[in-house]
Amino acid sequence: MSSQQEDVLSIGTLAPHAQASAQSHDLQRTLSWKDAFWVTSGVPAGVLFTIGGVSATIGQPAWIVWIVAILVGFAQCFTYAEISGLYPHKSGGASVYGALGWVRYSKFVAPVSVWCNWIAWSPMLALGTSLAAGYMLSCLFPANSAINTWQLTLLDLDFISKGLSLRVNSTFVLAAIFLLMTFKLQHSGASAAAKTQRILGIASLAPLVVVALVPMFTGDMPSTNFLPLLPLTHDASGASVMGSWNATGISTAMGAMFLACWSTFGFETAVCYTREFKDPQKDTFKAIFWSGVLCLFMFIAVPIAFQGELGLKGMLAPAIVDGSGVGAAMAKFVGGGAVVFNVIVVMMVLSILLIVMTSMMGSSRTLYQASVDGWLPKYLSHVNEHGAPTRAMWTDLVFNLFLLLMSNYMAVLSISNVCYMIFVFLNLQSGWIHRLDRADWPRPYKCKNWLLALGALCGYFDLAFVGAGANFQGENTLRNGLIATFLIVPVFIYRHYVQDKGRFPASMRHDMELPHARAGWLPYLALAAGVAVVWIAAKLTIIN
């Protein structure tokens, strides 16, 4: 029996309706769950992007925020594991599987789910490479040197976000080189990239683990760095002071959760590779579960170690808040001179490049599968001889070269996070929609009813964080994020009504077939409730 025949048969045992569509996909089944684990091992590095921002938002309760955020993310992963098992012939991650739950109720809600996932993950390429470039430049040159200070402004974007512009500087140049390097590493397919990920994973996780464990063993974490658990507020002069748990304090906590969830939820990308797993029946759940366990440890231990070592004053230092001084702070944790400092910085750069590779692999497969399914333009469905979705990767690359020109990466992160949380909500609701509409479909993994319900409830909490917390990261962030969310509508109209004449691809129609849509009016009620949660949370929020 040929490997292709085995592949088709393995799909048929899970989803007989998918056999026809499986043959039209050209991604290769070369990965095990361990490969996906190492691919997603870059996700814990996301803590480096927002660890200072969370502390700057909430103050000393930041370590509690990180614990709650990763626990919410872990609870949600069980829903993702179930819905991804329904479609072992598809790539692209949870958004693709969730979209198929919504499409019978609205053609336009489904592509929003896929789009929001991509628009959230893709900017990680620019954010990651720019942070890595900043580490290298700060390591090699003084902060006031010409190479660190020169800048050529191209366009003022103050109408989008105050102080935002397009510019070229040394960070852009070096980050673009890093971006091209990661693109080249993935051009040979997921299997080859996964091998690189294992090497980078071990090298990059080591400093995070050391930083997490050293303060615990040395005991150099005074309780005053964690207590009292009072939120930050600002006095009349704008200085940060301890507040109280009134409406302002609760709003501040929601703003911190909005930022922390962007980092902690990311391990859901482990299910992006279902179509490339050798044994999707077993590998899908193992990949996301063990990736979640890794993140559970890292997103609790690393923030506690940082706050324990630096205290609130240290966490509010500008270099920690913007991320540029995180590498130097980590080097001081473990002690040593210039050699140790440089080693730590290099390892931190590897850690950042690891999450960049994770993002490129996941986001390009989302674009690829969205094209195959009829959501995005047809050109994105091409793969090369190695099974790599190269046109989707080129699209990611060009988009992120543009983002690298942005002067304020936190504005980019915050806008993309509004989209991300909308995707999370839609996919968590798709769990119970699939359970109602496809109750008789085989499921390699079926989570407990209470876990499915918990995931759906978490989706509404996530939307509350969006409504209450987005504008803590800048005026009009919520508005800009919602605009970015609905940019997919004209793109989908072009693909579906112009390119496809109002009909989905044949393979997609197989996946959409349902004798009875049992969910009825409940999906519409869920959407209405979600809109209400965002609106109410935004109205009740007090930003001081």
Side-chain angles (χ1 to χ4, degrees):
M1 182 181 295
S2 69
S3 60
Q4 183 179 11
Q5 288 172 317
E6 290 176 348
D7 186 36
V8 173
L9 286 175
S10 68
I11 294 170
T13 59
L14 281 175
H17 61 284
Q19 293 181 24
S21 64
Q23 295 178 12
S24 65
H25 295 191
D26 294 316
L27 296 178
Q28 300 171 5
R29 289 199 180 276
T30 57
L31 301 180
S32 69
W33 73 267
K34 294 177 182 178
D35 293 319
F37 171 85
W38 285 114
V39 168
T40 56
S41 65
V43 170
V47 72
L48 305 176
F49 294 84
T50 54
I51 191 169
V54 171
S55 291
T57 303
I58 187 65
Q60 292 205 151
W63 62 283
I64 296 292
V65 167
W66 283 107
I67 292 174
V68 174
I70 187 56
L71 288 176
V72 171
F74 193 71
Q76 294 170 173
C77 80
F78 296 96
T79 299
Y80 295 145
E82 176 171 326
I83 64 175
S84 61
L86 293 170
Y87 303 98
H89 56 292
K90 286 186 178 294
S91 179
S95 63
V96 171
Y97 318 129
L100 289 167
W102 283 101
V103 69
R104 290 299 299 269
Y105 303 94
S106 172
K107 283 186 177 181
F108 291 95
V109 172
V112 165
S113 173
V114 179
W115 172 260
C116 283
N117 189 23
W118 177 76
I119 208 71
W121 264 107
S122 185
M124 181 66 80
L125 307 182
L127 295 168
T129 52
S130 63
L131 188 59
Y135 283 176
M136 292 297 293
L137 291 172
S138 64
C139 178
L140 296 173
F141 305 99
N144 59 353
S145 64
I147 197 169
N148 278 324
T149 57
W150 78 273
Q151 178 174 297
L152 175 63
T153 301
L154 304 177
L155 182 65
D156 181 18
L157 298 176
D158 205 55
F159 66 95
I160 297 176
S161 182
K162 188 176 180 180
L164 186 65
S165 65
L166 297 183
R167 52 84 181 109
V168 176
N169 59 9
S170 299
T171 300
F172 168 83
V173 174
L174 185 54
I177 294 172
F178 284 147
L179 195 55
L180 291 169
M181 287 169 55
T182 57
F183 178 88
K184 177 61 178 175
L185 286 171
Q186 296 187 51
H187 203 269
S188 298
S191 181
K195 295 176 182 177
T196 305
Q197 293 281 89
R198 279 196 294 272
I199 298 171
L200 285 177
I202 295 170
S204 63
L205 286 175
L208 288 176
V209 172
V210 169
V211 165
L213 295 180
V214 166
M216 295 182 184
F217 284 112
T218 60
D220 190 21
M221 295 194 297
S223 61
T224 53
N225 288 351
F226 301 99
L227 300 172
L229 291 176
L230 294 175
L232 276 185
T233 188
H234 299 88
D235 59 22
S237 65
S240 297
V241 296
M242 290 287 185
S244 60
W245 288 111
N246 52 18
T248 302
I250 294 172
S251 298
T252 302
M254 300 287 272
M257 281 294 296
F258 171 78
L259 204 54
C261 288
W262 179 84
S263 301
T264 55
F265 289 2
F267 67 92
E268 48 85 12
T269 193
V271 299
C272 280
Y273 314 102
T274 299
R275 175 61 185 88
E276 295 163 272
F277 284 144
K278 297 174 184 177
D279 186 357
Q281 295 99 318
K282 297 179 181 179
D283 289 338
T284 301
F285 175 74
K286 287 183 178 179
I288 192 169
F289 177 79
W290 288 111
S291 296
V293 170
L294 171 66
C295 289
L296 198 62
F297 169 74
M298 298 301 287
F299 281 111
I300 292 175
V302 173
I304 286 177
F306 261 84
Q307 190 167 331
E309 279 279 343
L310 298 179
L312 181 58
K313 183 178 180 180
M315 293 299 294
L316 296 182
I320 299 297
V321 173
D322 65 21
S324 61
V326 172
M330 292 179 68
K332 292 179 181 177
F333 289 177
V334 298
V339 174
V340 172
F341 175 82
N342 290 330
V343 169
I344 291 291
V345 169
V346 169
M347 296 180 80
M348 292 309 303
V349 170
L350 292 178
S351 180
I352 297 299
L353 293 183
L354 179 61
I355 197 171
V356 170
M357 289 188 68
T358 299
S359 179
M360 182 174 283
M361 290 183 73
S363 61
S364 62
R365 279 152 181 79
T366 299
L367 288 179
Y368 162 80
Q369 191 65 55
S371 177
V372 170
D373 287 349
W375 308 121
L376 296 180
K378 290 182 177 180
Y379 85 95
L380 292 166
S381 58
H382 170 79
V383 297
N384 68 5
E385 66 276 13
H386 303 293
T390 47
R391 290 181 184 173
M393 290 165 60
W394 275 108
T395 301
D396 260 343
L397 181 68
V398 173
F399 176 62
N400 278 275
L401 285 173
F402 171 75
L403 292 183
L404 279 174
L405 294 171
M406 297 282 189
S407 61
N408 185 349
Y409 297 125
M410 187 57 70
V412 174
L413 184 154
S414 301
I415 291 171
S416 73
N417 196 33
V418 173
C419 300
Y420 185 55
M421 300 293 259
I422 292 173
F423 141 74
V424 170
F425 168 78
L426 291 174
N427 277 266
L428 291 172
Q429 307 316 309
S430 77
W432 58 262
I433 294 174
H434 277 303
R435 186 74 72 85
L436 291 173
D437 287 349
R438 297 167 176 83
D440 55 342
W441 280 27
R443 285 169 166 78
Y445 169 75
K446 184 177 182 179
C447 68
K448 300 289 186 181
N449 290 341
W450 69 270
L451 278 173
L452 196 68
L454 179 60
L457 182 62
C458 286
Y460 287 99
F461 280 112
D462 297 337
L463 288 186
F465 301 149
V466 171
N471 287 340
F472 273 87
Q473 308 310 319
E475 188 178 2
N476 297 323
T477 297
L478 178 58
R479 179 204 67 185
N480 295 338
L482 293 175
I483 291 173
T485 295
F486 293 106
L487 289 177
I488 183 59
V489 174
V491 177
F492 172 67
I493 289 174
Y494 169 75
R495 168 63 196 268
H496 188 64
Y497 294 102
V498 177
Q499 288 191 321
D500 291 343
K501 311 303 179 187
R503 293 176 61 84
F504 284 103
S507 60
M508 180 66 166
R509 291 196 293 273
H510 280 283
D511 296 320
M512 291 170 57
E513 287 177 357
L514 279 178
H516 305 287
R518 300 184 184 94
W521 52 269
L522 291 176
Y524 304 108
L525 179 61
L527 286 176
V531 172
V533 166
V534 174
W535 185 81
I536 293 171
K539 285 295 183 181
L540 294 178
T541 297
I542 300 175
I543 299 178
N544 184 1

